[in-house]
Amino acid sequence: MDAAPHPKVVFNLNAGTIMRISTLILTSALASLQAHVATADNPIVQTLYTADPAPIVHNGRVYLYTGHDENGATTFVMKDWRLFSSADMVNWQDHGSPMSLATFRWATAQAWAGQPVLRNGQWYWYVPVRHTSGSMAIGVGVSDSGPTGPFRDALGKPLVMNNEIDPSVFIDDDGQAYLYWGNPNLWYVKLNADMVSYSGGVNKVALTAAGFGARSGNNANAQRPTTYEEGPWLYKRAGKYYMVFAANCCSEHLGWSTGPSATGPWTYGGVMMPTQGSSFTNHPGIIDFQGSSYLFYHNGALPGGGGYQRSVCVERFTYGANGSIPVINMSKEGAPQVGTLDPYMRQEAETIAWSSGVQTEICSEGGMDVLSINNNDYIKVKGVAFGSAGAKSFTARVSSATSGGKIELRLGSTSGTLLGTCSVPGTGGWQRWSSANCTVSGATGTHDLFFRFTGGSGELFRFNWWQFAQ
Ligand code: FUB
């Protein structure tokens, strides 16, 4: 993807109107595709467009940091970053936006692809943004209150600025941290222990065909002789260093190289994800979690999706015996669930495997809640373990500035076995919360649970959390 500045989009409508129109388009497209996608788990997020995944494992959860493509944008209009987390790879909790362009007073636009890392109890989040000078720069957000932030500008200025993008951070076993970035070149610095300064200057990686593969055929490009394009992702596994990256342009595929150290020399491995999925960019993020390996990437698979309305997805994969990365194809099914979800613990309504029609917002009771609930919208939560004794009652934390509606609790699909129906009353305000209770029957074993929302016209109610009791 060309890192040169993109022309500003000029809207004659105000932002609220555009958001409502885009939401309507997205909602109706989702509803019409409901029958086809009800069992899919890719893309991971359906409530907004996400891009540029950066996953990290912490305390038994996967924290997935993403970019955010604005509805209706016709170039990479990105104003904030988003965070989601999961303990099972299929039910993802929305944590909202822990960092945005406003975090960096010197940034004007382009909240593009970044990556966080944890060191000494502090979370450092390296991101590319456009500097007031017009150049792309790498900024550092820092949080000392955990992965969900809030993050503040660590430096009040860029860490490094050479008009290139897509930082990837990695801390080696000996404590040396590296920051790679670049499009069309590939650069790195050795970060100091403070993670916000570096020593040894800015190093340019020699992009050779042996290291990154040669562009050929339709992709041949004298200015970019190797397949390396952007989006580096550096990590170490079983003694081998991996450099995974977006390759060729455009459309991009994902490629991989390996080396004996964090600074190479790199040996090209091949294609890990072919060009697929109706977005002309792609972007890798790789983790190991609970004994399996996962590739996060993005495509345009959500209704209304494409090159500027992208969505993050995930696939599980297995390395070859020699550490090679296999060719991984995009799928609608995504990764299998790790374990099950406990319905007897309080669960956030914004923990979602799949949804139709709804959105999320900051909740006055803390965290996020689900809004924009209309007749026939639904939320699917996957692999809910009711156990053999089963559930007897259900509680939902809800609010409604109108007269509320109903939550149908169903197994397997929006028309599956009805466990019970919970009435949601008017509560006198969209952020005036109360608990609605109902009895349930037939809730035994492990099932996908569907919350099907019904009622009159317009927005019915909002939904903060839920819990079953035995
Ligand atoms: O999301 C904006 C840019 O598109 C990213 O920085 C690149 O990696 C590409 O995904």
Side-chain angles (χ1 to χ4, degrees):
M1 187 216 61
D2 188 346
H6 292 276
K8 274 238 166 70
V9 187
V10 179
F11 295 114
N12 292 323
L13 302 169
N14 68 39
T17 308
I18 289 165
M19 175 62 97
R20 275 190 295 281
I21 293 169
S22 303
T23 301
L24 276 174
I25 293 168
L26 187 59
T27 302
S28 66
L30 274 170
S32 69
L33 284 187
Q34 175 177 325
H36 304 289
V37 296
T39 57
D41 293 312
N42 271 334
I44 286 172
V45 178
Q46 307 83 42
T47 50
L48 75 168
Y49 294 112
T50 53
D52 302 328
I56 182 169
V57 177
H58 177 64
N59 283 349
R61 285 186 85 79
V62 178
Y63 288 86
L64 174 61
Y65 295 78
T66 76
H68 172 203
D69 283 340
E70 295 289 323
N71 291 359
T74 54
T75 183
F76 295 109
V77 179
M78 304 173 78
K79 301 174 181 168
D80 62 358
W81 295 271
R82 296 287 173 141
L83 176 61
F84 306 86
S85 75
S86 176
D88 63 10
M89 298 301 292
V90 296
N91 296 302
W92 289 91
Q93 181 180 349
D94 188 334
H95 296 280
S97 173
M99 196 165 81
S100 73
L101 285 177
T103 305
F104 303 99
R105 283 196 348 218
W106 47 269
T108 58
Q110 283 147 320
W112 285 3
Q115 187 183 354
V117 73
L118 173 63
R119 182 163 213 171
N120 297 332
Q122 293 204 296
W123 290 78
Y124 298 91
W125 193 355
Y126 301 85
V127 290
V129 285
R130 190 162 296 284
H131 186 259
T132 47
S133 66
S135 173
M136 288 303 287
I138 310 296
V140 193
V142 64
S143 157
D144 30 41
S145 48
T148 58
F151 287 78
R152 64 181 187 280
D153 185 354
L155 286 169
K157 61 179 183 180
L159 170 67
V160 63
M161 180 162 73
N162 67 355
N163 203 27
E164 299 207 26
I165 60 174
D166 289 3
S168 176
V169 62
F170 165 72
I171 304 175
D172 208 345
D173 300 335
D174 63 2
Q176 177 62 59
Y178 297 84
L179 188 77
Y180 273 80
W181 77 99
N183 174 345
N185 303 293
L186 181 58
W187 310 86
Y188 75 87
V189 291
K190 287 183 164 185
L191 292 169
N192 295 330
D194 65 8
M195 300 300 278
V196 293
S197 62
Y198 57 89
S199 298
V202 175
N203 304 282
K204 189 175 184 180
V205 177
L207 291 175
T208 63
F212 296 91
R215 284 194 202 210
S216 56
N218 290 341
N219 290 303
N221 180 336
Q223 272 70 54
R224 297 175 188 241
T226 77
T227 70
Y228 176 82
E229 177 74 13
E230 60 183 356
W233 182 268
L234 173 67
Y235 65 100
K236 184 181 187 182
R237 188 176 185 279
K240 211 186 269 278
Y241 295 79
Y242 291 79
M243 179 67 75
V244 178
F245 52 91
N248 283 355
C249 183
C250 293
S251 296
E252 295 175 344
H253 66 261
L254 301 180
W256 61 281
S257 302
T258 54
S261 79
T263 56
W266 301 106
T267 301
Y268 181 56
V271 173
M272 75 176 297
M273 176 168 271
T275 298
Q276 294 172 348
S278 69
S279 157
F280 63 88
T281 63
N282 199 348
H283 194 101
I286 292 183
I287 53 163
D288 279 357
F289 176 65
Q290 306 279 8
S292 292
S293 302
Y294 297 91
L295 167 66
F296 291 78
Y297 60 96
H298 68 223
N299 62 22
L302 211 60
Y308 304 113
Q309 275 79 38
R310 300 163 292 175
S311 291
V312 168
C313 300
V314 64
E315 309 294 342
R316 188 173 70 165
F317 73 96
T318 305
Y319 288 87
N322 60 356
S324 60
I325 299 181
V327 174
I328 303 164
N329 291 303
M330 299 182 182
S331 81
K332 277 191 170 180
E333 292 72 29
Q337 186 168 15
V338 177
T340 54
L341 188 122
D342 183 353
Y344 306 113
M345 302 272 292
R346 178 177 143 169
Q347 300 289 346
E348 297 301 316
E350 67 275 15
T351 296
I352 295 171
W354 192 269
S355 64
S356 176
V358 304
Q359 300 203 315
T360 60
E361 65 174 354
I362 293 169
C363 180
S364 61
E365 293 194 317
M368 306 288 284
D369 65 69
V370 171
L371 80 159
S372 198
I373 294 174
N374 289 267
N375 187 39
N376 274 330
D377 288 346
Y378 73 89
I379 289 173
K380 168 190 164 190
V381 187
K382 197 168 180 182
V384 179
F386 291 104
S388 51
K392 296 284 179 285
S393 66
F394 172 79
T395 302
R397 189 75 173 163
V398 287
S399 71
S400 177
T402 55
S403 55
K406 288 182 168 34
I407 306 175
E408 293 179 2
L409 307 168
R410 292 183 178 272
L411 299 183
S413 75
T414 52
S415 56
T417 302
L418 184 64
L419 305 179
T421 302
C422 221
S423 290
V424 176
T427 61
W430 292 120
Q431 289 294 329
R432 288 180 66 122
W433 297 95
S434 74
S435 296
N437 301 290
C438 54
T439 56
V440 297
S441 63
T444 57
T446 299
H447 303 271
D448 295 349
L449 173 66
F450 283 72
F451 300 109
R452 178 169 177 254
F453 308 115
T454 62
S457 60
E459 183 174 3
L460 304 175
F461 53 90
R462 296 186 186 180
F463 192 9
N464 187 10
W465 54 260
W466 58 270
Q467 187 166 10
F468 284 85
Q470 285 175 308

